[in-house]
């Protein structure tokens, strides 16, 4: 099936493909650096450097993806851990070695495959089924990409998917292995439960003051009140800077006059066409046959122009537009392939073209509408221009203020008032700040690990100086000054005596319940008895209802070579559970759909392992060297992690 493809549809496909490309291909879509050896190089792949800038860009991309995926639940610390950073670097290295493998294996993507991939994304089309050109333009500009850049990246990603598919399709799961695993999953065990509840042993527990004192001493950290800080802080962010920027009507008028082309809606034309498809490199006989057929249809539409839509629907091999009587809707410059666009631009409304040949075949074009170019009046775009100018001015001003912010908090380190007065910022306060961020205040600007570490530094605590300017987010700096420090304290014994008594009592009850249960277990292993057990329940790995999770796990792990089998386990907060397994077997009816799905899941896991193994081989061939491995520092020493 042939489709008449518009060139401007390429951008959105790339943006959407980013959601489905394998994880190792998502990170680091940067080109190879031609410089950057030495201190700036973090790793080398086949002699080519991966720079710190490449790594930082990949980390930002990962953070952006996670921010979109988690929304309000996103926490930047998810990406700031050493493990997460190492994962991003590993993915970046994998992407580089796969790009090299694509070249070595001479993998390529044809224009037709690229176009089909683009046309297969429904999100690219509006409610009327037609491509949203304005959305395309906005997204292209927002990404800072040209169609050439976009198409090259998309081709590379699709080629990498070819390689990925070629490797992963070699994985398979033997049917006997899949059946064995499904049998284990389906295996049913008939089990009875006997509970030794902690509450039943309360009367036997005798708690003394000595026991409570002993617990208090041995578990002193349980009763510590962590050190806390109260601090003032000032925040420099885009909003604070934008509030200091004003835009005049004269500025807006000047910007409008200088950028009038941006506010001009270019001419758009609407056309219908009939396509007789033939490949550009098709044999001469096929070319001639297609042309003859197109000439016959041209004669028909010239004879009865009013039947153009009817003839297009019956004969056009562009099925998408053919169903609409050949209608392609309105389009602007650069939207169509050049031969088609050139011919459409020469037509007057209502005219029908001669045959037009393009890479898709032969077209017969009818121009059905013209929207002339229109310049939007200043009043219509004034608000948008004001926002744009303010954004630009604020961005420039932020750079200036950020330097002044950093210098002032350092040079006048005894107070935040000088920097607040100089940059027109508000001094705010925060209390009960610990060394680690507080999950309950995740969105607060001061709830940042780097800032908290700065507050707890000797410079802030002992020397009573401002912290340095800490960048806690893009275009967001914070500086603080400690106003009060509370060291670690310990709650008194009398204050926590009731809490300790409850804990000790529960511990003793649990110990008595466990002792009784273990004695019963030993007796049952010597002499079987079902006395005292509850009703029989049938459980399996896909049907665990009715049993405590700890009990269920113990039952499924129990050795059942000899029946009945007995197993005991401590049940947190409940006591001790004793289980009698009387029968083991398979269900009468098997869920074949689930078994098929399990086999596919196993194959998928094996395929991923095949791909990881292949990437490891490529890494060895490329002689990958990590020059700056991620350093995992102690979590509580306040040092910066790479």
């Amino acid at each position: 099936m042939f489709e008449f493809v518009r060139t401007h549809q390429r951008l959105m496909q790339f943006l959407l493909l980013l959601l489905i490309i394998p994880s190792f291909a998502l990170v680091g879509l940067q080109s190879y650096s031609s410089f950057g050896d030495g201190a700036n190089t973090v790793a080398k792949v086949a002699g080519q450097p991966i720079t710190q800038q490449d790594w930082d860009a990949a980390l930002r991309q990962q953070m952006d993806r996670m921010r979109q995926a988690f929304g309000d639940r996103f926490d930047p610390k998810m990406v700031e851990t050493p493990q997460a950073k190492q994962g991003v670097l590993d993915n970046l290295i994998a992407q580089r070695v796969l790009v090299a493998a694509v070249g070595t294996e001479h993998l390529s993507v044809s224009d037709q495959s690229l176009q089909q991939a683009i046309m297969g994304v429904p999100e690219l089309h509006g409610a009327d089924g037609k491509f949203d050109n304005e959305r395309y333009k906005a997204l292209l500009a927002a990404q800072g990409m040209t169609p050439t850049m976009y198409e090259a990246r998309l081709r590379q990603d699709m080629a990498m998917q070819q390689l990925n598919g070629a490797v992963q399709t070699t994985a398979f799961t033997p049917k006997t292995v899949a059946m064995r695993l499904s049998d284990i999953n389906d295996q049913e065990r008939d089990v009875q439960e006997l509970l030794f509840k902690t509450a039943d042993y309360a009367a036997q527990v005798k708690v003394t003051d000595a026991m409570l004192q002993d617990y208090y001493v041995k578990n002193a950290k349980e009763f510590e009140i962590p050190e806390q800080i109260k601090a003032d802080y000032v925040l420099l962010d885009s909003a604070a800077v934008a509030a200091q920027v004003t835009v005049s009507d004269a500025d807006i008028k000047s910007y409008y006059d200088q950028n009038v082309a941006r506010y001009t809606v270019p001419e758009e034309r609407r056309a219908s066409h009939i396509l007789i498809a033939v490949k550009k490199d098709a044999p001469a006989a096929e070319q001639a046959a297609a042309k003859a057929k197109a000439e016959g249809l041209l004669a028909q539409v010239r004879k009865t122009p009013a039947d153009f839509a009817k003839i297009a629907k019956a004969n056009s091999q562009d099925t998408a537009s053919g169903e609409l009587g050949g209608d392609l809707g309105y389009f602007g410059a650069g939207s169509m392939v050049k031969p088609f666009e050139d011919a459409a631009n020469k037509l007057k409304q209502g005219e029908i073209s001669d045959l037009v040949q393009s890479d898709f075949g032969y077209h017969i074009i009818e121009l059905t509408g013209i929207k002339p170019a229109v310049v939007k009046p200043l009043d219509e775009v004034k608000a948008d221009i004001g926002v744009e100018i303010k954004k630009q001015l604020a961005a420039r001003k932020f750079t200036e203020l950020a330097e002044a912010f950093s210098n002032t908090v350092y040079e006048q380190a005894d107070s935040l008032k000088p920097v607040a007065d100089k940059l027109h910022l508000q001094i705010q306060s925060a209390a009960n700040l610990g060394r680690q961020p507080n999950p309950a205040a995740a969105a607060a600007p001061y709830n940042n690990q780097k800032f908290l570490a700065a507050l707890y530094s000797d410079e802030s605590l002992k020397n009573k100086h401002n912290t340095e300017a800490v960048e806690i987010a893009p275009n967001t700096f914070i500086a603080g000054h400690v106003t009060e420090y509370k060291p670690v304290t310990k709650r008194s014994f009398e204050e926590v005596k009731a809490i300790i008594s409850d804990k000790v009592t529960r511990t003793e009850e649990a110990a008595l319940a466990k002792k009784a249960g273990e004695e019963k277990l030993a007796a049952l292993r010597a002499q079987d008895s079902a006395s005292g057990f509850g009703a029989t329940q049938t459980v399996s790995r896909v049907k665990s209802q009715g049993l405590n999770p700890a009990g269920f796990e113990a039952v499924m792990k129990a050795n059942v070579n000899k029946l009945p089998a007995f197993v005991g386990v401590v049940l947190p907060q409940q006591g001790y559970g004793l289980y009698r397994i009387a029968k083991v077997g398979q269900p009468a009816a098997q869920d074949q759909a689930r078994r098929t799905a399990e086999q596919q899941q196993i194959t998928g896991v094996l395929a991923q392992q095949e791909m990881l193994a292949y990437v490891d081989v490529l890494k060895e061939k490329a002689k990958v060297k990590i020059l700056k491995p991620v350093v995992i520092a102690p979590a509580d020493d306040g040092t910066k992690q790479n």
Side-chain angles (χ1 to χ4, degrees):
M1 180 180 70
F2 294 87
E3 303 290 345
F4 187 65
V5 180
R6 302 180 179 190
T7 59
H8 63 216
Q9 290 176 309
R10 292 172 179 164
L11 173 67
M12 274 296 293
Q13 174 66 12
F14 175 73
L15 299 176
L16 291 165
L17 278 177
L18 288 179
L19 302 176
I20 59 174
I21 295 172
S23 61
F24 55 75
L26 282 175
V27 179
L29 292 172
Q30 308 297 317
S31 60
Y32 287 110
S33 301
S34 58
F35 57 88
D37 270 31
N40 194 41
T41 301
V42 297
K44 282 191 174 183
V45 178
Q48 294 289 337
I50 294 177
T51 67
Q52 184 67 49
Q53 289 83 355
D54 294 334
W55 193 11
D56 291 342
L59 285 166
R60 286 194 298 271
Q61 292 172 7
Q62 180 72 354
M63 186 170 291
D64 289 342
R65 281 189 293 273
M66 294 183 70
R67 185 178 288 109
Q68 293 177 6
F70 288 93
D72 294 339
R73 295 179 292 116
F74 172 70
D75 184 348
K77 294 193 292 295
M78 299 164 69
V79 187
E80 292 175 356
T81 66
Q83 293 80 5
K85 290 182 178 181
Q86 184 63 54
V88 170
L89 180 58
D90 291 342
N91 280 358
L92 186 54
I93 292 170
Q95 192 266 345
R96 290 288 175 87
V97 298
L98 287 169
V99 168
V102 166
T104 302
E105 300 296 332
H106 305 292
L107 298 177
S108 62
V109 176
S110 67
D111 289 344
Q112 185 177 5
S113 297
L114 185 67
Q115 292 164 352
Q116 287 176 345
I118 294 169
M119 290 297 292
V121 181
E123 290 84 356
L124 297 174
H125 303 82
D128 58 357
K130 296 183 177 60
F131 182 80
D132 187 339
N133 191 37
E134 291 302 320
R135 185 183 182 198
Y136 156 75
K137 291 179 180 178
L139 285 168
L140 181 61
Q143 295 298 317
M145 294 171 58
T146 66
T148 302
M149 292 166 54
Y150 155 71
E151 185 171 344
R153 289 187 181 185
L154 178 54
R155 283 184 188 277
Q156 175 178 290
D157 294 332
M158 292 180 67
M160 289 174 67
Q161 285 183 309
Q162 286 183 15
L163 181 63
N164 181 30
V167 174
Q168 294 202 27
T169 51
T170 62
F172 74 97
T173 304
K175 189 173 182 180
T176 53
V177 173
M179 288 178 62
R180 175 59 179 155
L181 292 173
S182 291
D183 285 345
I184 292 173
N185 212 29
D186 281 341
Q187 185 190 80
E188 294 181 339
R189 299 187 174 195
D190 287 355
V191 60
Q192 294 171 277
E193 181 180 55
L194 174 59
L195 293 179
F196 294 82
K197 299 179 181 179
T198 55
D200 295 340
Y201 298 88
Q204 301 179 34
V205 174
K206 305 297 181 185
V207 177
T208 66
D209 281 348
M211 294 169 65
L212 301 182
Q213 286 283 0
D214 184 62
Y215 187 95
Y216 181 71
V217 172
K218 290 181 178 179
N219 299 276
K221 283 196 170 293
E222 282 188 31
F223 311 108
E224 284 184 353
I225 300 174
E227 59 187 334
Q228 294 181 346
I229 275 176
K230 182 178 181 181
D232 290 339
Y233 68 93
V234 287
L235 190 69
L236 179 70
D237 58 10
S238 298
V241 175
Q244 302 179 35
V245 174
T246 57
V247 180
S248 68
D249 288 344
D251 293 332
I252 293 174
K253 179 64 167 61
S254 176
Y255 186 93
Y256 176 79
D257 292 340
Q258 294 174 30
N259 298 275
V260 68
R262 291 184 57 182
Y263 306 106
T264 300
V265 180
E267 178 188 85
E268 290 188 334
R269 294 189 163 220
R270 183 174 187 174
S272 296
H273 83 138
I274 299 170
L275 172 67
I276 301 304
V278 62
K279 293 181 180 179
K280 188 177 181 180
D281 57 353
E286 287 186 26
Q287 294 272 5
K291 184 175 182 181
K293 183 174 181 179
E295 287 174 338
L297 293 171
L298 177 60
Q300 289 185 49
V301 297
R302 289 202 184 282
K303 184 177 180 180
T304 56
D307 291 338
F308 190 99
K310 181 179 178 182
I311 296 170
K313 189 170 185 179
N315 297 278
S316 181
Q317 292 173 341
D318 175 8
T319 55
S321 67
E323 290 295 321
L324 304 173
D327 182 30
L328 295 167
Y330 280 97
F331 53 88
S335 298
M336 302 299 185
V337 291
K338 192 173 188 305
F340 186 99
E341 182 176 299
D342 290 345
N345 285 340
K346 294 176 183 177
L347 296 176
K348 296 179 180 178
Q349 187 165 334
E351 283 187 337
I352 295 173
S353 71
D354 294 328
L355 291 187
V356 177
Q357 186 177 12
S358 77
D359 291 346
F360 297 95
Y362 291 96
H363 307 265
I364 302 168
I365 306 170
E366 179 185 27
L367 191 68
T368 56
I370 298 175
K371 288 182 179 178
V374 176
V375 179
K376 295 180 180 179
L378 176 58
D379 287 345
E380 183 179 332
V381 296
K382 183 176 181 179
D384 292 338
I385 293 176
V387 171
E388 179 64 25
I389 295 175
K390 192 167 188 176
K391 185 188 300 183
Q392 294 179 12
L393 293 176
R396 287 199 292 269
K397 189 175 182 65
F398 186 90
T399 303
E400 300 170 5
L401 295 186
E403 184 175 359
F405 183 85
S406 180
N407 291 340
T408 306
V409 296
Y410 175 76
E411 293 168 357
Q412 302 188 53
D414 294 332
S415 171
L416 294 175
K417 190 174 186 305
V419 72
D421 291 344
K422 182 175 182 178
L423 303 184
H424 308 291
L425 302 175
Q426 179 183 359
I427 297 178
Q428 303 178 69
S429 296
N432 303 322
L433 303 179
R435 287 184 179 268
Q436 301 300 321
N438 181 1
Y446 53 78
N447 197 47
N448 175 275
Q449 181 63 70
K450 292 180 182 178
F451 179 58
L452 294 175
L455 286 174
Y456 274 92
S457 68
D458 287 347
E459 188 68 15
S460 297
L461 282 180
K462 294 182 180 179
N463 298 335
K464 308 297 182 182
H465 288 163
N466 297 335
T467 69
E468 62 181 346
V470 179
E471 186 175 13
I472 57 174
N475 294 332
T476 306
F477 287 88
I478 190 172
H481 192 96
V482 176
T483 58
E484 184 179 339
Y485 172 73
K486 294 180 180 179
V488 175
T489 57
K490 187 178 179 181
R491 300 171 71 182
S492 68
F493 174 74
E494 292 301 324
E495 186 180 357
V496 296
K497 183 176 180 180
I499 297 173
I500 296 175
S501 178
D502 183 64
K503 288 189 174 190
V504 171
T505 299
R506 291 181 182 277
T507 299
E508 293 297 312
E509 290 172 354
L512 291 172
K514 181 183 178 184
K515 180 182 178 182
E518 288 176 340
E519 290 174 351
K520 180 67 173 179
L521 176 61
L524 288 171
R525 284 175 173 169
Q527 179 65 48
D528 175 36
S529 172
S531 176
F533 283 92
T536 299
Q537 302 177 64
T538 301
V539 298
S540 71
R541 288 176 174 83
V542 296
K543 185 176 63 176
S544 62
Q545 297 90 337
L547 287 187
N548 178 284
F552 170 76
E553 184 177 354
V555 166
M556 299 312 296
K557 286 183 177 179
N559 186 337
V560 291
N561 290 332
K562 181 182 178 181
L563 297 176
F566 296 92
V567 63
V569 63
V570 173
L571 304 179
Q573 311 302 320
Q574 294 186 34
Y576 191 83
L578 191 57
Y579 300 92
R580 179 177 184 271
I581 306 166
K583 180 181 176 183
V584 176
Q586 291 292 320
Q590 296 178 344
D591 187 340
Q592 293 300 328
R594 182 173 55 77
R595 284 180 167 242
T596 300
E598 288 171 351
Q599 183 174 7
Q600 292 171 348
Q601 291 170 1
I602 296 167
T603 301
V605 172
L606 293 176
Q608 292 176 9
Q609 293 177 341
E610 292 278 358
M611 193 65 203
L612 291 173
Y614 178 63
V615 169
D616 287 341
V617 171
L618 293 180
K619 287 181 179 179
E620 290 184 13
K621 289 183 177 180
K623 298 181 179 179
V624 171
K625 294 182 180 179
I626 297 180
L627 305 180
K628 289 185 179 181
V630 177
V631 177
I632 302 179
D636 59 351
D637 67 356
T639 59
K640 182 179 180 181
Q641 296 176 343
N642 183 23

